[in-house]
């Protein structure tokens, strides 16, 4: 289908983009890489009067070293995040997860910030951001504010970004030396995951000193598997420890039921994927 007609503006700075949002208000939609918005427009599920394209704001691209953290610009493409040396060294879980997003075409157009702002519970990037205690940098009329990932995702396709604000970057604390793996289960290639698990671990002398586990598509928002983390930390990195900890992955979750699988199926699946993710992160 062809989208309904709309007017188009392409600001070259965050300030210009915020001014356009203020001017056009509810009649406007912001487009980043367009991998979520364009299908919606083509199906005419939304028909904005204005589309504000962030693609010409160069300051929102790239990855920067900020000492104890790295900052990923909101308009950085998935393919660039997945291959960036800073991300690989200091946030390996993000690199692993981003490399699995959809297919090559989507990864060369879609953006890191756009995916997080869309907040699809089946999206691959929310759980890694949550597991790594990322902070989301948001710009608005009152200036800049920073929201922890734990507070950013507020519901199904809902985030802490207000209608007059923009997500400009994602600050990720460095997890240098932490191993990682992102394990996802799909019915067909490149589909949204029925369920996925991101695991990143700090191991020294065979002992797990740190663990962070994020769950994808196990609720209305990304989730942390706190029980699994607690069961791993301080323990020897053995198969028995991993299996016992992974069995806790479904504790307290309320997964959806749909054509791909009901809630009970997902509760079982997440324990299997958690065991696989941890095992792979441990090098097995």
């Amino acid at each position: 289908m062809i989208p309904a007609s709309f007017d188009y503006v392409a600001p070259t700075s965050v300030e210009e983009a915020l001014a356009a949002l203020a001017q056009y208000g509810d009649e406007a939609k912001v487009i980043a890489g367009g991998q979520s918005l364009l299908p919606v427009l083509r199906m005419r599920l939304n028909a904005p009067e204005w589309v504000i394209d962030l693609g010409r704001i160069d300051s929102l691209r790239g990855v920067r070293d900020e000492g104890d953290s790295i900052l990923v610009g909101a308009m950085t493409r998935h393919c660039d995040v997945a291959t960036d040396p800073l991300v690989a060294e200091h946030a390996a879980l993000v690199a692993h997860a981003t490399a699995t997003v959809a297919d090559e075409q989507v990864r060369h157009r879609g953006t890191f910030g756009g995916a997080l702002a869309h907040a699809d519970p089946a999206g691959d990037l929310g759980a890694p951001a949550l597991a790594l205690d990322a902070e989301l940098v948001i710009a608005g009329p009152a200036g800049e504010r920073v929201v922890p990932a734990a507070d950013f995702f507020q519901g199904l396709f809902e985030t802490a970004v207000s209608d007059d604000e923009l997500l400009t970057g994602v600050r990720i604390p460095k997890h240098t030396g932490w191993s990682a793996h992102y394990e996802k289960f799909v019915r067909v290639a490149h589909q949204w995951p029925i369920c996925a698990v991101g695991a990143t671990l700090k191991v020294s002398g065979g002992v797990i000193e740190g663990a962070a586990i994020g769950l994808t598509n196990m609720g209305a928002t990304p989730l942390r598997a706190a029980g699994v983390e607690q069961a791993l930390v301080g323990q020897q990195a053995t198969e028995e420890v991993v299996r016992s900890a992974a069995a806790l992955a479904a504790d307290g979750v309320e997964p959806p039921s749909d054509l791909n699988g009901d809630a009970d199926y997902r509760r079982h699946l997440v324990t299997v994927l958690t065991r696989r993710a941890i095992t792979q992160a441990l090098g097995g």
Side-chain angles (χ1 to χ4, degrees):
M1 293 180 64
I2 299 174
S5 62
F6 55 81
D7 288 309
Y8 172 87
V9 59
T12 58
S13 70
V14 172
E15 293 74 19
E16 290 180 6
L18 291 174
L21 274 176
Q23 180 176 354
Y24 304 123
D26 293 340
E27 297 178 348
K29 280 290 183 183
V30 173
I31 188 169
Q35 301 309 292
S36 299
L37 181 61
L38 284 177
V40 169
L41 297 183
R42 287 173 62 86
M43 291 185 287
R44 299 202 177 192
L45 298 177
N46 200 307
E49 296 291 327
W50 286 85
V51 169
I52 303 171
D53 187 351
L54 305 183
R56 296 183 185 178
I57 306 180
D58 292 336
S59 64
L60 297 183
R61 292 193 181 88
V63 181
R64 299 200 306 268
D65 192 324
E66 292 194 333
D68 293 335
S69 62
I70 59 173
L71 181 70
V72 182
M75 287 297 292
T76 309
R77 298 181 303 167
H78 299 313
C79 62
D80 295 322
V81 173
T83 58
D84 187 274
L86 285 174
V87 177
E89 181 179 3
H90 303 299
L93 180 56
V94 169
H96 280 262
T98 308
T100 74
V101 171
D103 55 29
E104 289 282 355
Q105 183 175 4
V106 170
R107 290 195 292 272
H108 277 75
R109 288 295 303 170
T111 66
F112 192 69
L116 291 172
H118 185 54
D120 189 324
D124 292 300
L125 304 183
L130 184 63
L132 294 176
D133 294 316
E135 295 179 331
L136 291 295
V137 184
I138 300 170
E144 186 177 279
R145 62 191 182 99
V146 177
V147 177
D151 299 324
F152 181 78
F153 302 102
Q154 299 187 345
L156 191 68
F157 299 102
E158 294 181 1
T159 72
V161 181
S162 299
D163 291 341
D164 58 352
E165 294 180 316
L166 294 172
L167 176 65
T168 61
V170 183
R171 184 171 292 115
I172 305 171
K174 287 183 177 178
H175 286 67
T176 313
W178 288 54
S179 60
H181 184 73
Y182 187 72
E183 186 78 16
K184 62 193 289 186
F185 186 83
V186 297
R187 189 168 56 85
V188 295
H190 313 312
Q191 188 188 37
W192 297 107
I194 297 173
C195 175
V197 178
T200 186
L201 305 168
K202 183 180 181 182
V203 181
S204 179
V207 176
I208 301 172
E209 296 183 346
I213 312 294
L215 309 181
T216 298
N217 210 14
M218 288 299 292
T221 66
L223 301 172
R224 284 283 288 268
V228 178
E229 297 170 358
Q230 294 166 8
L232 290 172
V233 174
Q235 302 298 314
Q236 292 286 331
T238 66
E239 181 179 349
E240 181 181 351
V241 166
V242 171
R243 186 178 298 274
S244 177
L248 305 173
D251 287 2
V253 302
E254 296 182 5
S257 292
D258 55 32
L259 293 176
N260 290 314
D262 64 17
D264 287 339
Y265 173 68
R266 282 185 164 91
R267 289 189 184 96
H268 167 72
L269 183 60
V270 75
T271 64
V272 176
L273 298 185
T274 299
R275 175 172 51 81
R276 292 178 184 175
I278 296 170
T279 300
Q280 289 297 316
L282 289 171

